[in-house]
Structures are given as C-alpha cells and as structure tokens.
Amino acid sequence: MIEVNIVGTGNVAWHLAKALGSQNQAILMQVAGRSIEKLENFNNIARETVSIDHLKPADVTIIAVSDDAIESFSEQIPFDNSLVVHTSGFTAMSTLSRKHNKGVFYPLQSFSKEDTSIDFTEIPILIEAEDPKDEKTLKTLAAIISNNVQVINSKQRRQLHLAAVFANNFTNHCYTIAQELCDVHGVPFDTLYPLIQKTTEKALQQGPKNSQTGPAKRDDKQVIDQQIKLLTDPDHTAVYKNITKAITHFYGKEL
Amino acid sequence: MIEVNIVGTGNVAWHLAKALGSQNQAILMQVAGRSIEKLENFNNIARETVSIDHLKPADVTIIAVSDDAIESFSEQIPFDNSLVVHTSGFTAMSTLSRKHNKGVFYPLQSFSKEDTSIDFTEIPILIEAEDPKDEKTLKTLAAIISNNVQVINSKQRRQLHLAAVFANNFTNHCYTIAQELCDVHGVPFDTLYPLIQKTTEKALQQGPKNSQTGPAKRDDKQVIDQQIKLLTDPDHTAVYKNITKAITHFYGKEL
C-alpha cells in the first residue's frame, strides 16, 4: 500500500486526487494548500487537508503546482529525505529542493476544471527518479491509475511537453481562428466538425505526414495568395503565412 | 430519380461516385476523364465511362477536378443549357462556363486515396445555384447521400474553405511538428494520442475558445523563451513564435 500526499489544489491536483481516491492500492493521506476554501474540495477524497507546514511524510509527496512555484513549495515541505516529485512536463527534476529524494510524475493531459470525467487509465504518466528504488515506487504508483507508464529523462520530457504545446495549444488556436472565420461570415462552426474529427482520426491512424493535404502542401501559390487576401486580422495572416511556409518547405524537401 | 454525371477521376470523384453508387434514388450515368486507366476504377459503379467529348446530358453534371481545371473542363462539356456544378470550396460558381446552368456541390471533407471507408452521410454538402429550381435539384441530390445539406453563397463558401485550411491542414502540420520533436528525442509519438483526442473532443464539446490552455494563453514569457531555445528548425521556431503571439494577443484582448 503506497501512502501519497498531494501539495497543491489546482486542476492537476484535483484530477490526481480523484483518480487516487477511486482505487484501493494507494491511500491519499494529506492534501496541502494555502487556501482553506480550495482545500475544502478535497475533504471527501483525502484523509486530511492541511497547510503545508503541517504536512507529514508519506511514501510519495506529489507537488502539483504551477512551474514557477515548484521550487518554493519543495523548500517549504517541513520534512526531508522522503520521495518528493513534481507533475510538470516543463520543469527539470533538479528544480526540486536538495533535501528530498527527487522524482517526476508527469501526467500528459490538458486538465481543466470543466472536465468532470477524466479517464486517468488512458493518460500517459511519464516517470523520472534519481534513485532506482524510487523509480520503482513511482512506476507502481503510476500503474495503479494509468495503463500507460513510461520512464523518460528531464530532457525528453521537456521536448515532449513542447510537442504537446504544438499538438494541443496550437491546434486548438487553429480551431479558434476557424471558428472566428465562420462566425464573422455567418456559417455555422459545426459544419467543420466532421472535418476536424476526420483530421484527428487520420493523423492518429496513418500518421500526420501521410495525411497532409491542401494548398500549402501542393504549393498552390494562386490559392495561397487569394486566401491571404481574405484574412483581415493581422495575427491570422501571420499564422497563415508561417504555417503555409513551413508546410511548403517540409514537403518541398521531400520531393 | 436523378441522373448524374461525374467529370473527373480523382479522390473527390471517386468518393462521390461510390456514395452515389451505393443508393437507389439517383443513377450515376457517366464518368468522364482523360485517363483510360483511371476510368477503369469506375467501371463497376457508373453505367458508362467515357472521354469528355462523349459525355451526354444528365440532370446534374458534377465537375470534380482541381480548382485550376474547373473552367477548362466546363468549357469542354459537349452540351449546354444543362445543370453543371463543381465541387470546390475555393472556386466561385461564376468560374463555370456561361453555356451551363451553374451550381456548386461542395462536400466539406479532406478526401484521400487511403480512405477506404468514408461515411458520406456525415459529410456536410454545401449547395449553391443560380436558379431556384436547380437549387432544389441539388438539395434533393445532396440529401440522398448526406444528412447535412446547407445552402451558402460563393463568398461564404470561400471563407468556410479557408476555415477548413486552418482546422485541417494547419492543425495536421502542428501534429507533424509534434511527431518530429518526439522522433528526434526518442519519445514514442503515440504518447501524445490521448492528448490529441482530448483536444479535439474538448474543442467540439465546449468550443475551442473555452478550452485553450498553455504558456501562450498565460503569456508565460519564461516558459515561452525557453521553449523557443529548444527548437532547432527555423520553420518550427517561426510557427511557434507566430501562433504564440496570436494566442497572447487573442486572450490579452479579452482581459
């Protein structure tokens, strides 16, 4: 039985706590945070909610706070020589305070408050630890809530997090621009839903390189020039020009 | 019973012909093209395959060729005063030859040869016609193969096609960049699959504006600067900087 603490009361802390609370192989001991109001959400899931000064050692203490607060929170933990991990894709393991046995427990998903039903079993958990014994503990803990556990180092995790920015944040903003174009011109955005679903399905089934289509891939300058003229927002124009250039270069190289 | 011709032997022609061939309310009379080899694919679906000089009038003749060939093919059709439509999102209805009754029959999907199973019932078909009687014919024909038929004008269709470039071509290239980053650093690309699926699902369920996350939305300059340093391909860097700027502006405006 693995005893777990969580430091933090945000989205990642909440979804992790819920996943840990809904199984029997690990126990969520304490959730620590600064806001009594936010801690109340965890009352029914953790054995105890506390301020960080009252945190007691557990097998694993998971710091699930924003990147820039990880270092400070890891210093504030009132015990040492116990396994402390953070949940960030971006932050190096070395950012954690030296007084702890360090590790990383990175669930690769975009968590938001609106998500009431996250299926943690599908979410990859990327593990790192200084000590092989700690790595084993983290693998065991991760496997309790996820079917996809991998060990990767800080450098790989950083690149994976950057890849996730392209695959999530940037694709989503392309959808936002598409919606703006539809809204402004009185076309229902949901007309694009089957295309959006097919795009994702094809990228996952046959690989994005094999499913690229469109004027940029064909280097169809006439269509590209006319589409640029249709755009009125300079940010949209810049995005259009740059991705089009990137696609043209990418497939031009292959010819 | 609507009699239909198709001019063209590419991906759109093939998927349209298959959809028309698998129902009983319209008859695919002739498929016309220049390549005897490509026409052979249509032998079992159409009543007859012919060169364009031998095409005979039908209720609707659908020109499914590349944008820059529409005008020329519509001129080559050896009859006039019959309803002729093209399938392009980009091209104006007026591009068709004056000798025909003009219309547009635009199936909004990214068609590729690899797709063996396209469910046409889910694909939006965007209709336009000069004559109300022709519009009715096209609506009837479209409704035979699709559950989503809409009438929009050439200007709206052009914007919708541009929106589709953002929602399909550009998102797909973001996936390609993500895959490159994974490949180069030895992380399996499929680690990102649950994130990619969730991104699409959230964009469709709660709208892309409401599901945006990440360093650009937070205007987190420290993370942004460090991520830019991780990129080694100048095209990737340009895409990163431009979409990040667009996201920062977009959500900055809202504050």
Side-chain angles (χ1 to χ4, degrees):
Chain A
M1 183 67 76
I2 304 177
E3 296 184 344
V4 181
N5 289 329
I6 291 178
V7 176
T9 53
N11 291 332
V12 177
W14 171 244
H15 287 291
L16 262 181
K18 274 214 301 185
L20 285 167
S22 64
Q23 50 69 47
N24 302 313
Q25 294 155 275
I27 301 175
L28 184 54
M29 303 299 288
Q30 296 187 305
V31 173
R34 282 179 292 202
S35 152
I36 293 173
E37 208 173 56
K38 285 189 178 169
L39 279 175
E40 275 176 8
N41 297 326
F42 295 83
N43 276 344
N44 297 326
I45 304 176
R47 291 220 164 172
E48 198 183 2
T49 61
V50 296
S51 80
I52 191 154
D53 327 316
H54 296 103
L55 200 66
K56 288 178 288 255
D59 296 318
V60 184
T61 296
I62 301 173
I63 302 184
V65 301
S66 62
D67 289 322
D68 54 1
I70 290 171
E71 192 171 356
S72 146
F73 271 99
S74 80
E75 290 292 350
Q76 288 172 57
I77 289 176
F79 51 81
D80 45 17
N81 298 318
S82 170
L83 178 55
V84 173
V85 303
H86 70 63
T87 57
S88 165
F90 177 73
T91 303
M93 180 168 67
S94 59
T95 305
L96 292 164
S97 167
R98 287 184 190 191
K99 64 183 185 175
H100 307 303
N101 297 1
K102 299 173 192 178
V104 177
F105 192 89
Y106 170 44
L108 177 56
Q109 189 50 275
S110 169
F111 296 99
S112 56
K113 285 173 202 120
E114 292 78 11
D115 275 316
T116 47
S117 64
I118 285 247
D119 179 5
F120 235 96
T121 58
E122 300 291 324
I123 298 176
I125 299 184
L126 291 313
I127 292 300
E128 186 180 3
E130 282 186 309
D131 188 292
K133 197 176 128 279
D134 291 339
E135 185 183 297
K136 209 181 148 195
T137 304
L138 292 179
K139 277 165 97 170
T140 306
L141 178 63
I144 292 171
I145 55 176
S146 166
N147 297 326
N148 185 349
V149 180
Q150 297 172 47
V151 177
I152 63 172
N153 62 39
S154 285
K155 199 181 157 193
Q156 288 175 309
R157 184 161 31 79
R158 209 163 226 232
Q159 291 287 346
L160 185 61
H161 179 256
L162 177 57
V165 165
F166 279 91
N168 168 283
N169 303 161
F170 291 176
T171 56
N172 191 68
H173 194 63
C174 289
Y175 295 148
T176 302
I177 295 174
Q179 174 158 32
E180 283 229 322
L181 293 172
C182 288
D183 287 354
V184 168
H185 298 278
V187 183
F189 178 53
D190 62 12
T191 309
L192 288 171
Y193 283 14
L195 178 71
I196 289 172
Q197 283 163 327
K198 193 78 186 170
T199 301
T200 304
E201 191 188 306
K202 279 164 81 170
L204 302 192
Q205 279 175 6
Q206 61 201 45
K209 288 179 203 179
N210 299 323
S211 45
Q212 190 67 46
T213 59
K217 189 189 173 185
R218 295 192 302 271
D219 197 12
D220 186 339
K221 292 189 175 61
Q222 198 220 332
V223 175
I224 292 166
D225 286 348
Q226 291 198 49
Q227 290 201 322
I228 288 169
K229 284 181 194 149
L230 293 177
L231 292 164
T232 53
D233 181 321
D235 286 329
H236 296 179
T237 308
V239 170
Y240 184 98
K241 284 184 178 173
N242 272 282
I243 306 198
T244 293
K245 195 174 155 191
I247 295 172
T248 308
H249 282 182
F250 188 86
Y251 293 94
K253 275 185 237 160
E254 286 196 342
L255 295 177
Chain B
M1 183 68 75
I2 304 177
E3 295 185 347
V4 181
N5 289 329
I6 292 178
V7 176
T9 53
N11 291 331
V12 177
W14 170 244
H15 287 292
L16 262 181
K18 276 216 299 186
L20 286 166
S22 64
Q23 51 68 46
N24 301 314
Q25 294 156 275
I27 301 177
L28 183 55
M29 303 299 286
Q30 297 188 303
V31 173
R34 283 179 292 201
S35 151
I36 293 174
E37 208 173 53
K38 284 189 179 168
L39 279 175
E40 275 176 7
N41 298 327
F42 296 83
N43 276 344
N44 298 324
I45 304 176
R47 291 219 166 173
E48 197 182 3
T49 61
V50 296
S51 80
I52 192 155
D53 326 315
H54 296 104
L55 201 65
K56 289 179 287 255
D59 296 318
V60 184
T61 296
I62 302 174
I63 301 183
V65 302
S66 62
D67 290 322
D68 54 2
I70 291 170
E71 192 170 357
S72 148
F73 271 99
S74 80
E75 291 293 351
Q76 287 171 57
I77 289 174
F79 51 82
D80 45 17
N81 297 320
S82 169
L83 177 56
V84 172
V85 304
H86 71 64
T87 57
S88 166
F90 177 74
T91 303
M93 181 168 66
S94 59
T95 305
L96 292 165
S97 167
R98 287 182 188 192
K99 64 183 185 176
H100 307 302
N101 296 1
K102 300 175 194 179
V104 177
F105 193 88
Y106 170 43
L108 177 57
Q109 189 50 275
S110 169
F111 296 99
S112 56
K113 285 173 201 120
E114 292 79 11
D115 275 317
T116 47
S117 63
I118 286 246
D119 180 6
F120 234 97
T121 58
E122 299 291 325
I123 298 176
I125 299 184
L126 293 313
I127 293 299
E128 185 180 3
E130 282 186 312
D131 188 292
K133 197 175 127 280
D134 292 338
E135 184 182 298
K136 207 179 150 199
T137 304
L138 292 178
K139 277 166 98 170
T140 306
L141 179 62
I144 293 171
I145 54 175
S146 166
N147 296 327
N148 185 348
V149 180
Q150 296 172 47
V151 177
I152 63 173
N153 61 38
S154 285
K155 199 179 156 194
Q156 288 175 309
R157 185 161 31 78
R158 211 161 225 233
Q159 292 286 347
L160 185 60
H161 179 256
L162 177 56
V165 166
F166 279 92
N168 168 285
N169 303 160
F170 291 177
T171 56
N172 191 68
H173 194 62
C174 289
Y175 296 148
T176 303
I177 295 174
Q179 174 159 30
E180 283 229 321
L181 293 172
C182 287
D183 287 353
V184 170
H185 298 279
V187 185
F189 178 53
D190 62 12
T191 309
L192 289 171
Y193 283 13
L195 178 71
I196 289 172
Q197 283 164 327
K198 193 78 185 172
T199 301
T200 304
E201 190 188 308
K202 278 164 81 169
L204 302 192
Q205 280 176 4
Q206 62 200 43
K209 288 179 203 179
N210 299 323
S211 45
Q212 190 67 45
T213 58
K217 190 189 172 184
R218 294 191 304 272
D219 198 12
D220 185 339
K221 291 187 177 62
Q222 198 220 333
V223 174
I224 292 166
D225 287 347
Q226 291 198 48
Q227 290 201 322
I228 288 170
K229 284 182 196 150
L230 293 177
L231 292 163
T232 53
D233 181 321
D235 285 330
H236 296 179
T237 309
V239 170
Y240 185 100
K241 284 184 177 172
N242 272 282
I243 306 197
T244 293
K245 195 174 154 191
I247 295 172
T248 309
H249 282 181
F250 188 87
Y251 293 93
K253 274 185 238 161
E254 286 196 340
L255 293 178

